[in-house]
Amino acid sequence: MMVENLPLGGRFHHQRLDLKRWIPQFLISHKTLFTVLWIAAFGSVFLWQRNSVGGLSLFWWGTPARPMPRLRPVAFNLTDFGGVGDGVTVNTEAFERAISAISKLGKKGGGQLNVPPGKWLTAPFNLTSHMTLFLAQDAVILGVQDEKYWPLMPPLPSYGYGREHPGPRYGSLIHGQNLKDVVITGHNGTINGQGQYWWKKYRQKLLNHTRGPLVQIMWSSDILISNITLRDSPFWTLHPYDCKNVTIRNVTILAPIFEAPNTDGIDPDSCEDMVIEDCYISVGDDGIAIKSGWDRHGISYGRPSMNILIRNLVVRSMVSAGVSIGSEMSGGVSNVTLENVLVWGSRRAVRIKTAPGRGGYVRHIVYRNLTFDNVRVGIVIKTDYNEHPEDGYDPKALPVLEDFSFTGIHGQGVRVPVRIHGSEEIPVRNVTFRDMSVGITYKKKHIFQCAFIQGRVIGSIFPSPCDNLDRYDEQENLVKRSASQNITDIDYDF
């Protein structure tokens, strides 16, 4: 047929007739292909929906729960063992049955216990080796608010006493001893100690034993705690005790900044080879407190805290300090680096506290790139923190304080940038300040306060340092030697 000889309108009419014949044939012959492509397109969008966080939702309202990743060869759900997440049912036996099953899998790489979304009320329970405890988004483990469900344990050997009362102490909500290869992680699920019950009883003096931590792991190694929230602990929140190779990463720790007594955030205690990083801590006592035992008990136990890296933190403590060392440091603390830390809205920023009777040492401590924002006292070293488990402590057991460096210290709204209070019997030795500029709220002369301190200032710093320190220029050439290291210029009135 000679299409080119048809009139213009006739050619279009002929093409429309061809299309009417061709489209049904094409659709019939390619029906399977279209079906496959449509399913693939829908499936890809579905998977994208499942795996995106906070992305656009095309097919349902709300953000779907993220799937539980499998971090071990075998994974269980708490509901497999009778768990009920209604906030009322006590799930202690469900946790215990699940962990018992995982304890049999150590030679196969261990097991994972998934805690789904819900409120999982429980009394304290023990972890096992080669275990991952995984808390889903919106999963909350709740501590039972009744001390009769909390077991009593012997005092820590490096303390000799319960920290608040002689004799036994309450155990922790989540506990572990002599373990290896333990992971506590999740999609930022929460472990909540419901500490309000304990704080009230403590203030009313109705407790006969020391309160228990929220999470305590003892005599263990290869521990990872990440991507969770810990809140409202009865006592210290996270307490690794005599552990090695511990990593705490991307953890949020919360408690009221007032009227939540002794709710320290993280207390590394006689621990070795540890990293704490990328955490947010706002609590009712020290954000972090590095410890190693109390007076003669810590001296006898003899396990130092050493090789600890703390970095990339935001910390708040209106009652105590952002990051402390001590006061229980009788086994010694050494080789600690604290860097890239913001302390805001706090009573003190960084502090070392000790006293006669402690013994031990604090040495080789590096503070680098710290920011203080609205802090009453920035840097504190205190040598008369006199809390002792016994009246008959040995006052001749004197701690050694030496080798501290402070570099890149900045901030604003600080009342007293530095207060280092050594004493004749416990002098503070070999302290270095470099690159310091802190905005102050009180323009008094002695806002850089010193007593019995030996050290140096390199370059110019603000505010002007105390006269106890030697002055060096930026090239570390001596400019002026201190006339006396024992000058005392401490004013606790502001």
Side-chain angles (χ1 to χ4, degrees):
M1 180 171 60
M2 302 296 292
V3 176
E4 62 273 20
N5 294 328
L6 290 174
L8 183 60
R11 276 184 298 195
F12 282 137
H13 177 72
H14 179 79
Q15 288 171 354
R16 285 198 297 269
L17 290 176
D18 284 346
L19 286 172
K20 287 181 180 180
R21 290 195 300 268
W22 177 79
I23 290 174
Q25 292 174 355
F26 177 84
L27 290 174
I28 293 170
S29 62
H30 294 77
K31 182 178 180 180
T32 303
L33 177 61
F34 266 100
T35 302
V36 171
L37 290 174
W38 187 89
I39 292 173
F42 180 86
S44 65
V45 173
F46 178 83
L47 291 174
W48 171 74
Q49 286 281 327
R50 293 283 293 175
N51 293 323
S52 64
V53 178
L56 179 65
S57 178
L58 298 179
F59 299 106
W60 54 75
W61 294 102
T63 303
R66 287 181 283 178
M68 301 276 200
R70 178 172 289 194
L71 307 178
R72 301 280 183 179
V74 178
F76 301 109
N77 289 330
L78 186 60
T79 52
D80 298 337
F81 299 87
V84 179
D86 59 5
V88 178
T89 303
V90 178
N91 292 280
T92 314
E93 291 185 359
F95 278 107
E96 290 173 343
R97 285 193 292 265
I99 293 167
S100 177
I102 290 172
S103 69
K104 300 176 175 62
L105 300 172
K107 293 182 179 180
K108 298 179 181 179
Q112 175 173 321
L113 175 57
N114 293 326
V115 181
K119 294 182 178 179
W120 309 90
L121 187 67
T122 181
F125 61 88
N126 294 319
L127 303 177
T128 189
S129 292
H130 309 293
M131 173 183 176
T132 296
L133 178 64
F134 192 97
L135 279 71
Q137 184 177 0
D138 300 323
V140 182
I141 296 176
L142 293 171
V144 169
Q145 292 184 301
D146 189 338
E147 67 265 30
K148 73 181 181 183
Y149 290 99
W150 291 63
L152 290 175
M153 302 182 65
L156 296 167
S158 61
Y159 286 72
Y161 279 43
R163 188 59 181 80
E164 298 173 325
H165 294 276
R169 60 193 174 92
Y170 288 108
S172 57
L173 179 63
I174 297 179
H175 193 79
Q177 293 185 192
N178 302 301
L179 303 182
K180 186 175 178 63
D181 178 25
V182 173
V183 177
I184 303 175
T185 188
H187 287 145
N188 200 32
T190 299
I191 301 171
N192 187 332
Q194 302 202 90
Q196 296 83 354
Y197 169 88
W198 296 89
W199 309 333
K200 182 178 179 180
K201 283 208 163 188
Y202 171 79
R203 288 192 296 268
Q204 295 174 344
K205 301 186 184 303
L206 296 176
L207 295 172
N208 296 319
H209 306 286
T210 299
R211 292 166 288 153
L214 185 63
V215 178
Q216 184 177 61
I217 299 178
M218 306 170 60
W219 303 304
S220 300
S221 63
D222 304 332
I223 309 300
L224 171 62
I225 300 174
S226 68
N227 302 308
I228 59 171
T229 294
L230 307 175
R231 68 178 306 145
D232 294 345
S233 174
F235 189 56
W236 300 344
T237 302
L238 177 52
H239 186 211
Y241 180 83
D242 198 353
C243 291
K244 294 184 179 181
N245 191 22
V246 179
T247 300
I248 300 170
R249 176 185 299 128
N250 195 27
V251 172
T252 301
I253 301 178
L254 303 173
I257 57 174
F258 294 115
E259 299 185 353
N262 308 108
T263 50
D264 296 9
I266 305 172
D267 285 13
D269 203 338
S270 295
C271 287
E272 182 178 349
D273 300 335
M274 185 168 181
V275 175
I276 302 171
E277 61 184 358
D278 304 321
C279 296
Y280 179 88
I281 304 172
S282 178
V283 289
D285 208 304
D286 291 317
I288 294 175
I290 301 173
K291 303 176 181 291
S292 64
W294 205 7
D295 287 8
R296 68 180 179 89
H297 307 285
I299 296 170
S300 176
Y301 192 69
R303 301 282 202 284
S305 280
M306 58 189 295
N307 306 335
I308 298 175
L309 173 60
I310 301 169
R311 62 187 177 190
N312 307 335
L313 265 60
V314 177
V315 188
R316 187 185 191 196
S317 171
M318 275 301 297
V319 171
S320 195
V323 179
S324 287
I325 297 176
S327 72
E328 310 92 332
M329 39 59 66
S330 302
V333 177
S334 66
N335 298 336
V336 176
T337 298
L338 178 69
E339 63 183 7
N340 304 332
V341 173
L342 166 64
V343 182
W344 70 283
S346 296
R347 186 178 182 88
R348 306 170 190 89
V350 295
R351 177 166 68 161
I352 297 169
K353 46 186 177 176
T354 187
R358 290 287 190 270
Y361 54 83
V362 179
R363 61 190 181 211
H364 309 316
I365 314 297
V366 175
Y367 298 90
R368 183 166 54 231
N369 193 22
L370 307 184
T371 302
F372 306 154
D373 185 2
N374 188 25
V375 170
R376 190 173 299 179
V377 187
I379 296 167
V380 181
I381 299 179
K382 185 175 177 63
T383 58
D384 58 351
Y385 198 86
N386 286 305
E387 286 187 354
H388 301 278
E390 304 153 314
D391 292 335
Y393 67 90
D394 180 7
K396 296 181 180 179
L398 300 175
V400 174
L401 303 181
E402 60 186 7
D403 299 332
F404 309 115
S405 69
F406 298 89
T407 304
I409 312 299
H410 302 283
Q412 62 180 359
V414 179
R415 185 179 296 186
V416 179
V418 177
R419 180 178 285 153
I420 297 181
H421 193 173
S423 66
E424 187 172 4
E425 56 186 358
I426 309 175
V428 181
R429 300 297 189 201
N430 195 23
V431 181
T432 300
F433 290 92
R434 185 171 196 165
D435 181 20
M436 179 174 180
S437 179
V438 176
I440 56 178
T441 59
Y442 281 73
K443 295 184 178 179
K444 291 190 176 183
K445 179 180 177 181
H446 51 296
I447 52 178
F448 200 120
Q449 302 180 10
C450 301
F452 292 91
I453 173 177
Q454 175 269 322
R456 60 181 183 165
V457 174
I458 300 175
S460 62
I461 68 173
F462 182 85
S464 180
C466 56
D467 293 332
N468 309 56
L469 301 169
D470 299 334
R471 308 290 183 91
Y472 289 76
D473 62 20
E474 291 289 356
Q475 289 71 43
E476 302 191 23
N477 299 310
L478 179 64
V479 174
K480 180 182 178 182
R481 184 75 69 184
S482 169
S484 173
Q485 299 162 4
N486 300 337
I487 300 171
T488 298
D489 189 13
I490 302 294
D491 185 356
Y492 285 105
D493 291 335
F494 75 103

